[in-house]
Amino acid sequence: MLIAPSLLSCDFSRFGEEIKRVDKAGADIIHLDVMDGHFVPNLTFGAPVIKKLRSAADKPFDVHLMISQPHRYIGDFADAGADIISFHTECDSDIGETLALIEKRGVKPALAIKPGTPAQVVLPYLDRLYMVLVMTVEPGFGGQSFMPDMMDKVVFLRKEIAERGLNTLIEVDGGIAKDTIATAAKAGVDICVAGTAVFGAPDAKTAIEELRALCK
Ligand code: DX5
Ligand code: ZN
């Protein structure tokens, strides 16, 4: 299991140091939540901030776009140094065209689905995806409760990925903690995003190690 701390729960006044802290603590991936106050009822940060932070760690930057028109900003996030770009199937942009923009920039493309969206919507694009992000809370805020029902989607996607002989990764995001991560692991998740569970813990290294150990 790969652990991707979500910086949404970090101390934003020390953003760069917080990335370095989770990097040293053993994070596999750095998860960055971009919100536009329209697709979700919250605002965070954009590409210029990510660009300034890029040198804080060598780990892959996993940019989760919770924005209505992702196609307008793919170039900016690619220039900022994103390694993975996820956008939502529920957005207003054309999915195929937005994936093409990500592919053209050599960034790893991912599609994200909200809790109310069936996993079937990603099937037409599955062969092009580096990763599918299955939301396990309504996107917008950290600290919400994990929705175990979403594991049916993970099981479904895992089977479809295997049948097609793909290497597509499955990520879950929201409510991942010591009492929920084993459920995700059993369902076949590859990457767990964890905000509160890492940044709310007294020691990030211990928190990440405990989460990983619970998947074995
Ligand atoms: C929510 C974000 C998550 C969030 C997860 O919309 O996409 O990445 O930070 O936070 P926790 O782990 O606290 O549920
Ligand atoms: Zn996220």
Side-chain angles (χ1 to χ4, degrees):
M1 180 68 77
L2 300 175
I3 306 294
S6 160
L7 275 292
L8 187 62
S9 305
C10 83
D11 176 354
F12 281 125
S13 72
R14 305 171 57 251
F15 211 158
E17 287 100 284
E18 290 285 74
I19 290 184
K20 285 181 193 154
R21 183 162 77 87
V22 287
D23 180 19
K24 287 201 187 80
D28 297 297
I29 293 168
I30 307 294
H31 185 86
L32 296 156
D33 290 300
V34 176
M35 306 186 189
D36 66 354
H38 186 263
F39 183 77
V40 289
N42 196 6
L43 284 163
T44 54
F45 47 83
V49 172
I50 293 176
K51 191 171 194 165
K52 290 285 184 193
L53 293 168
R54 191 60 195 92
S55 60
D58 293 329
K59 304 279 169 66
F61 270 24
D62 169 23
V63 176
H64 177 193
L65 298 181
M66 286 161 274
I67 65 178
S68 294
Q69 302 195 352
H71 73 280
R72 292 174 58 194
Y73 304 97
I74 299 305
D76 293 342
F77 287 104
D79 288 342
D83 298 281
I84 306 167
I85 296 179
S86 311
F87 66 97
H88 276 262
T89 61
E90 307 88 355
C91 73
D92 298 332
S93 301
D94 182 272
I95 295 174
E97 283 171 21
T98 307
L99 285 174
L101 291 172
I102 299 173
E103 289 161 354
K104 210 168 81 188
R105 292 302 309 264
V107 176
K108 297 178 168 88
L111 275 177
I113 50 173
K114 296 209 268 184
T117 303
Q120 282 80 359
V121 302
V122 308
L123 294 184
Y125 310 99
L126 197 57
D127 300 51
R128 296 167 68 180
L129 301 180
Y130 172 74
M131 181 177 95
V132 179
L133 167 48
V134 176
M135 290 304 298
T136 41
V137 297
E138 285 299 336
F141 300 92
Q144 304 180 76
S145 300
F146 180 76
M147 299 166 78
D149 297 0
M150 297 303 124
M151 294 307 100
D152 291 349
K153 295 188 204 177
V154 173
V155 171
F156 171 81
L157 289 166
R158 184 90 279 156
K159 188 165 170 276
E160 191 67 31
I161 290 164
E163 279 171 13
R164 297 194 195 183
L166 301 171
N167 296 314
T168 319
L169 300 174
I170 302 177
E171 179 176 67
V172 290
D173 183 4
I176 289 294
K178 280 195 268 185
D179 58 341
T180 56
I181 197 163
T183 305
K186 259 180 230 137
V189 169
D190 302 292
I191 307 170
C192 276
V193 175
T196 314
V198 171
F199 287 96
D203 179 63
K205 188 167 191 278
T206 309
I208 291 171
E209 281 168 3
E210 281 175 355
L211 287 173
R212 231 185 246 122
L214 287 161
C215 298
K216 293 201 175 111

